[in-house]
Amino acid sequence: TSLHKEIKFEDYKTSISKDCFENILFKSIINQMTQKGNFIIHFDNNSENGEPDLYFRSENTIFLIEFKDYLFPESVLKAKNFGAFRKYIDERFLISEGNKKKGVSQLANCIDNLLNKKYSFDSEINKKISEGEHVNIYPIVCHTDFMFSMPGLNEYLNFLFNEQIRIRRKNYSGIHRVTLINLEVLFDLRLRGKGFADLLNFLPRYY
């Protein structure tokens, strides 16, 4: 019996992304970005409830983070038309070829669920929303490839995100711009002993 089993790179990359980058590295960094006071950290455990990869709340400030460990292919960079580039971005940060929500559409869906009080793991925020308290929601896409930090991409994702919010008819004033941020930034904050309050002050640099 042969012990050799051919593994496709795509399957291997998916496994490494989930098991190592997200479940170990990303979650470890987040768990160490602690701060004073009461706060809630909740990670999605492959639930069917439309939860973000990370939900963090301190008082009335909420971070919703989707983690994306993509490798930016050289073929897309060398493409002679913008259509190939946009297609690649849309399929990874909006809707996949299999019509699965990705990135900004996931975040828009999470915001919809949040404002409709569907997250049972945070009963306090459901009560706040029911009582009309104002909450600030900061949607973030966390990536691992520096190529996604190229100028203009964050603006394009905000355009897509705003369209998704408009479709859901959510004109809630507490929904802030989506931010595309490298995992290295969170790692650097963690190394310097910083937390989510510091991340909040850091986000305007991306606007």
Side-chain angles (χ1 to χ4, degrees):
T1 303
S2 175
L3 296 178
H4 175 73
K5 181 180 179 181
E6 184 177 351
I7 301 176
K8 293 182 179 180
F9 175 76
E10 291 78 7
D11 296 332
Y12 175 74
K13 180 64 170 67
T14 299
S15 177
I16 292 298
S17 296
K18 187 68 177 178
D19 297 337
C20 297
F21 280 85
E22 182 175 346
N23 288 338
I24 297 178
L25 186 58
F26 173 68
K27 290 183 178 181
S28 176
I29 291 172
I30 292 299
N31 280 324
Q32 294 179 63
M33 287 178 61
T34 56
Q35 63 180 54
K36 295 180 180 179
N38 297 323
F39 59 88
I40 289 180
I41 290 181
H42 177 84
F43 294 102
D44 178 29
N45 294 312
N46 297 317
S47 70
E48 299 297 326
N49 298 326
E51 299 173 1
D53 291 328
L54 169 71
Y55 173 100
F56 176 93
R57 180 177 67 83
S58 175
E59 301 296 339
N60 287 22
T61 297
I62 301 169
F63 290 90
L64 304 176
I65 302 182
E66 282 294 326
F67 180 77
K68 302 299 176 187
D69 180 35
Y70 296 140
L71 290 175
F72 204 103
E74 186 177 358
S75 58
V76 174
L77 291 174
K78 291 184 176 180
K80 296 182 179 180
N81 62 80
F82 178 71
F85 175 85
R86 187 171 69 177
K87 182 175 184 292
Y88 176 81
I89 296 300
D90 287 355
E91 288 179 351
R92 282 150 184 82
F93 294 99
L94 183 62
I95 301 290
S96 70
E97 285 185 318
N99 204 35
K100 183 178 180 181
K101 292 181 178 65
K102 293 286 186 178
V104 295
S105 59
Q106 286 178 291
L107 288 169
N109 190 58
C110 291
I111 290 172
D112 194 40
N113 290 335
L114 171 63
L115 295 180
N116 283 303
K117 305 178 290 295
K118 293 184 178 181
Y119 291 154
S120 59
F121 58 81
D122 191 354
S123 58
E124 184 178 350
I125 198 63
N126 292 337
K127 181 180 179 182
K128 287 174 179 286
I129 292 172
S130 293
E131 294 176 348
E133 286 194 38
H134 184 80
V135 298
N136 285 296
I137 305 169
Y138 295 89
I140 296 175
V141 176
C142 180
H143 65 89
T144 58
D145 190 328
F146 74 96
M147 290 301 298
F148 290 110
S149 300
M150 67 179 68
L153 184 52
N154 205 146
E155 286 298 318
Y156 178 62
L157 291 185
N158 262 293
F159 169 77
L160 297 178
F161 175 71
N162 289 334
E163 283 294 298
Q164 292 296 309
I165 294 296
R166 182 186 62 80
I167 291 171
R168 291 165 174 78
R169 300 180 182 179
K170 294 295 180 185
N171 57 357
Y172 189 78
S173 62
I175 303 173
H176 293 262
R177 293 165 55 93
V178 68
T179 304
L180 185 62
I181 194 168
N182 197 311
L183 181 61
E184 290 182 354
V185 173
L186 302 184
F187 183 61
D188 181 65
L189 287 172
R190 178 263 169 194
L191 284 179
R192 292 188 287 120
K194 305 297 184 179
F196 278 88
D198 302 284
L199 175 60
L200 180 60
N201 294 330
F202 188 79
L203 291 184
R205 299 185 187 186
Y206 288 85
Y207 299 160

